[in-house]
Amino acid sequence: MVNYANELIEFEGCPGCAYHRHEFTLPCGMAYENELINMSQDWKLPIPGFFVITPNRHVEVFSELTEEERNEIFKIASITIQVMRENKICDAYNVIFEEKKNCHFHVWLMPRYEWMKNLAGNITMNIGAIFSYAKENMRVPETYQKINETTMILKRSLEKGN
Ligand SMILES: [Zn+2]
């Protein structure tokens, strides 16, 4: 698979587990990790402020998460959205919990930007069109720079807050 900057990501087995073990990395680096969860810019989508939280443990469905993991995911999601708002990166988010067979459980923090509304109208209904647009049109140095900055802002806030 390729990352948001169109570079090849190589790993063996489950990508979520490999990322937790730092077997591959992203140009922007990890935004946050602790003993339960980790969070990064979405690996594949060149959309600044789009973060993915995963439990470190290989879990496939929501109900397999421990109470501690659930609490941590909600806490980090809430802080992240607040930090993005305070830093005027994005003021509205959709939070998506994705369960897929044979896939490491993850939570998407998806920013809702004006350009998405202009492009797709109802963002939730047209999520595929937004992702395709981003992959085709936003793989540019300005986006990568913004992703680095956004990750850095979040990293600093989480280091301070925890
Ligand atoms: Zn896994």
Side-chain angles (χ1 to χ4, degrees):
M1 94 180 157
V2 296
N3 68 17
Y4 62 78
N6 218 14
E7 301 162 346
L8 193 63
I9 298 176
E10 289 181 278
F11 55 84
E12 300 215 351
C14 169
C17 291
Y19 189 64
H20 160 58
R21 292 191 300 260
H22 294 265
E23 289 172 13
F24 67 92
T25 186
L26 297 168
C28 60
M30 227 179 233
Y32 184 71
E33 67 178 322
N34 64 21
E35 68 285 359
L36 296 172
I37 58 103
N38 66 76
M39 172 168 63
S40 287
Q41 163 70 28
D42 184 87
W43 305 349
K44 295 186 207 168
L45 291 163
I47 300 174
F50 193 144
F51 293 101
V52 178
I53 308 175
T54 63
N56 294 340
R57 226 162 41 89
H58 186 92
V59 165
E60 294 187 2
V61 294
F62 194 54
S63 59
E64 287 172 3
L65 292 169
T66 65
E67 190 179 349
E68 286 76 21
E69 287 165 337
R70 276 201 311 269
N71 289 345
E72 195 61 21
I73 288 170
F74 270 89
K75 181 178 136 195
I76 296 299
S78 163
I79 294 172
T80 299
I81 292 169
Q82 187 60 18
V83 169
M84 293 299 106
R85 210 170 269 143
E86 283 168 8
N87 286 276
K88 314 230 175 307
I89 291 159
C90 188
D91 62 5
Y93 268 81
N94 285 354
V95 180
I96 301 168
F97 294 80
E98 186 162 83
E99 284 183 347
K100 244 194 250 168
K101 192 124 188 76
N102 301 319
C103 181
H104 201 114
F105 179 80
H106 54 282
V107 179
W108 272 343
L109 306 184
M110 185 187 166
R112 295 206 309 272
Y113 290 116
E114 273 310 302
W115 67 261
M116 294 177 177
K117 287 179 211 153
N118 297 337
L119 181 82
N122 185 323
I123 291 172
T124 315
M125 296 283 286
N126 297 303
I127 207 162
I130 292 166
F131 291 177
S132 299
Y133 176 86
K135 285 179 182 171
E136 283 160 28
N137 298 284
M138 293 171 64
R139 282 188 163 132
V140 294
E142 292 74 23
T143 305
Y144 307 151
Q145 181 58 32
K146 188 82 187 157
I147 286 173
N148 287 346
E149 286 168 17
T150 307
T151 294
M152 198 45 74
I153 288 168
L154 187 55
K155 204 171 178 161
R156 288 206 196 101
S157 301
L158 284 163
E159 277 165 5
K160 263 189 283 171
N162 280 273

